[in-house]
């Protein structure tokens, strides 16, 4: 409802809301998004009730359309996070607000969609298990565990996609030349960065590489027990259970944008080099088309690798940490 109201106000007042650096949402598109948000709100309110077949189809159709639309609207969230982490501010306050609204909306719709799917399968909408009772009692959480060996291998292999991109960025930050970009050009391009970004660059750390390291930290937490129970190096929280959605929501939400963006870049770079798509022209930093094409490919491998690694690790974490209602745990006891 809030999303619909904000979109309507923006459309009525002609507020510029950027979709990309050079393209803004048209008022008609904003009104269409407001209508879709209202339909999604109605579908969410209808899911707890017993519905006829047409009602179930209508709810499923609305969620099937709304979830991808909200996902597309929050795809640039990782870019905003990196910019804010570098203390560089945001280029557009309305663009950032739009991304946040889409992110919150997507998270809520995903939770509603999961519970609705469980209801249709005659499972508990709260925990997903089949048990007696209404599931209003306490939840039983499984003990902390490590992801399977197969999952860990897959995640580590996907993380290797970060290496070419991170190495090139580090070379530039340390004052070296790579992929037709000179150290002087790189310094000029980043001269307007924040003080924090410049301080990190002075010790050879690019802020985007630092953001990737934060993603790796999240990955490790999803695979190992310290992501389920706060470890000793977290004062005041040591030994407490980590709220399940604390790592899952940022993992799922960032993985969507990263994986889609990475796949697009990985496909576009070789097709552009082969001439099947328009060649990527060098900008002020790059002096050759080949150099920027390679960097686009490296970026695709990095973003896509990190995105799919987050999906893999998050799926494992969700399965290993899924709680069940106390009723389900009791029903599963011998003799029941």
């Amino acid at each position: 409802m809030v999303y619909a109201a904000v979109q309507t106000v923006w459309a009525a007042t002609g507020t510029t809301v950027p979709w990309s650096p050079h393209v803004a949402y048209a008022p008609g598109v904003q009104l269409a998004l407001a209508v879709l948000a209202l339909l999604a709100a109605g579908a969410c309110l209808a899911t707890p009730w017993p519905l006829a077949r047409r009602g179930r189809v209508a709810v499923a159709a609305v969620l099937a359309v709304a979830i991808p639309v909200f996902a597309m609207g929050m795809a640039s969230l990782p870019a905003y996070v990196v910019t804010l982490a570098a203390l560089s501010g945001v280029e557009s306050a309305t663009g950032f607000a739009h991304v946040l609204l889409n992110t919150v909306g997507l998270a809520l719709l995903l939770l509603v969609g999961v519970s609705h799917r469980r209801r249709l399968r005659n499972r508990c909408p709260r925990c997903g298990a089949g048990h007696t009772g209404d599931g209003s009692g306490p939840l039983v959480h499984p003990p902390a565990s490590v992801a399977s060996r197969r999952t860990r291998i897959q995640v580590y292999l996907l993380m290797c996609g970060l290496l070419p991109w991170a190495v090139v960025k580090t070379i530039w930050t340390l004052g070296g030349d790579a992929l037709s970009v000179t150290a002087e050009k790189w310094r000029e391009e980043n001269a307007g960065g924040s003080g924090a970004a410049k301080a990190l660059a002075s010790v050879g750390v690019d802020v985007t590489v630092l953001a990737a390291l934060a993603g790796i930290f999240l990955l490790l937490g999803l695979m190992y027990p310290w992501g389920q129970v706060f470890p000793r190096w977290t004062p005041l929280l040591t030994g407490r259970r980590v709220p399940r959605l604390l790592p899952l929501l940022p993992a799922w939400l960032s993985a969507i944008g990263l994986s889609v963006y990475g796949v697009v870049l990985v496909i576009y770079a070789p097709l552009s080099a082969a001439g099947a798509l328009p060649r990527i022209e060098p900008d002020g930093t790059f002096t050759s088309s080949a150099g920027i094409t390679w960097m686009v490919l490296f970026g695709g491998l990095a973003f896509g690798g990190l995105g799919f690694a987050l999906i893999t690790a998050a799926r494992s974490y969700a399965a290993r940490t899924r709680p069940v209602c106390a009723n389900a745990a009791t029903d599963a006891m011998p003799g029941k």
Side-chain angles (χ1 to χ4, degrees), residues 210-234:
L210 187 64
L213 292 176
I216 293 174
F217 178 81
L218 177 58
L219 278 171
L220 296 176
L222 291 168
M223 291 193 296
Y224 292 98
W226 58 266
Q228 300 165 52
V229 177
F230 285 106
R232 287 178 294 179
W233 43 267
T234 53

Side-chain angles (χ1 to χ4, degrees), residues 85-87 193-201:
L87 302 178
S194 67
K198 293 178 180 178
L200 290 171

Side-chain angles (χ1 to χ4, degrees), residues 249-268:
L249 278 181
W252 284 121
L253 294 176
S254 58
I256 294 172
L258 289 170
S259 56
V260 171
Y261 188 48
V263 168
V264 170
L265 294 183
V266 169
I267 294 175
Y268 188 85

Side-chain angles (χ1 to χ4, degrees), residues 4-17 25-32 34:
V6 171
Q7 293 289 351
T8 302
V9 170
W10 281 343
T13 57
T15 302
T16 300
V17 181
Y25 284 94
V29 174
Q30 292 172 323
L31 291 176

Side-chain angles (χ1 to χ4, degrees), residues 18-21 25 70-83 95-96 98-100 102-103 253-254 256-258 261:
W19 179 74
S20 69
Y25 284 94
F70 276 70
M72 291 176 61
M74 56 75 58
S76 57
L77 179 64
Y80 278 105
V81 171
V82 171
T83 303
F96 184 46
H98 183 263
V99 169
L100 289 180
N102 278 277
T103 302
L253 294 176
S254 58
I256 294 172
L258 289 170
Y261 188 48

Side-chain angles (χ1 to χ4, degrees), residues 37-333:
L38 291 176
L39 291 174
C44 291
L45 291 173
T47 53
W49 300 97
L51 301 173
R53 183 175 182 276
R54 288 185 178 180
R56 294 195 300 270
V57 171
V59 168
V62 171
L63 293 178
V65 173
I67 288 176
V69 169
F70 276 70
M72 291 176 61
M74 56 75 58
S76 57
L77 179 64
Y80 278 105
V81 171
V82 171
T83 303
L84 290 172
L87 302 178
S88 300
V90 294
E91 294 183 0
S92 170
T94 54
F96 184 46
H98 183 263
V99 169
L100 289 180
L101 285 170
N102 278 277
T103 302
V104 174
L106 177 63
L108 296 175
L109 286 176
L110 287 175
L111 294 174
V112 170
V114 169
S115 64
H116 181 57
R117 184 168 177 264
R118 289 171 176 173
R119 257 188 217 97
L120 294 179
R121 295 187 172 191
N122 294 320
R123 315 291 286 183
C124 173
R126 187 185 183 201
C127 71
H131 59 76
T132 58
D134 59 2
S136 59
L139 289 172
V140 177
H141 294 268
S145 60
V146 180
S148 67
R149 183 172 181 269
R150 179 180 179 181
T151 295
R152 297 198 305 273
I153 291 174
Q154 290 176 346
V155 169
Y156 287 134
L157 289 176
L158 288 167
M159 285 167 56
C160 290
L162 286 163
L163 291 176
W165 171 83
V167 167
V168 172
K169 286 269 190 174
T170 303
I171 290 174
W172 290 338
T173 308
L174 291 174
D177 301 343
L179 299 183
S180 76
V181 175
T182 64
E184 182 181 357
K185 283 287 186 183
W186 179 252
R187 285 193 296 270
E188 291 177 0
E189 183 71 16
N190 292 273
S194 67
K198 293 178 180 178
L200 290 171
S202 65
V203 294
V205 179
D206 183 84
V207 68
T208 56
V209 175
L210 187 64
L213 292 176
I216 293 174
F217 178 81
L218 177 58
L219 278 171
L220 296 176
L222 291 168
M223 291 193 296
Y224 292 98
W226 58 266
Q228 300 165 52
V229 177
F230 285 106
R232 287 178 294 179
W233 43 267
T234 53
L236 303 179
L237 296 174
T238 302
R240 295 177 179 267
R241 183 179 58 83
V242 176
R244 190 165 178 257
L245 293 181
L246 182 62
L248 274 181
L249 278 181
W252 284 121
L253 294 176
S254 58
I256 294 172
L258 289 170
S259 56
V260 171
Y261 188 48
V263 168
V264 170
L265 294 183
V266 169
I267 294 175
Y268 188 85
L271 291 178
S272 173
L277 292 175
R279 294 186 67 83
I280 306 173
E281 298 297 330
D283 60 11
T285 305
F286 290 88
T287 58
S288 74
S289 180
I292 193 171
T293 301
W294 275 110
M295 196 57 191
V296 168
L297 178 61
F298 291 165
L301 292 173
F303 301 141
L306 184 56
F308 284 109
L310 284 169
I311 291 174
T312 303
R315 286 185 60 188
S316 171
Y317 184 92
R320 291 175 6 250
T321 61
R322 181 175 293 117
V324 295
C325 295
N327 290 343
T330 302
D331 292 345
M333 291 175 61

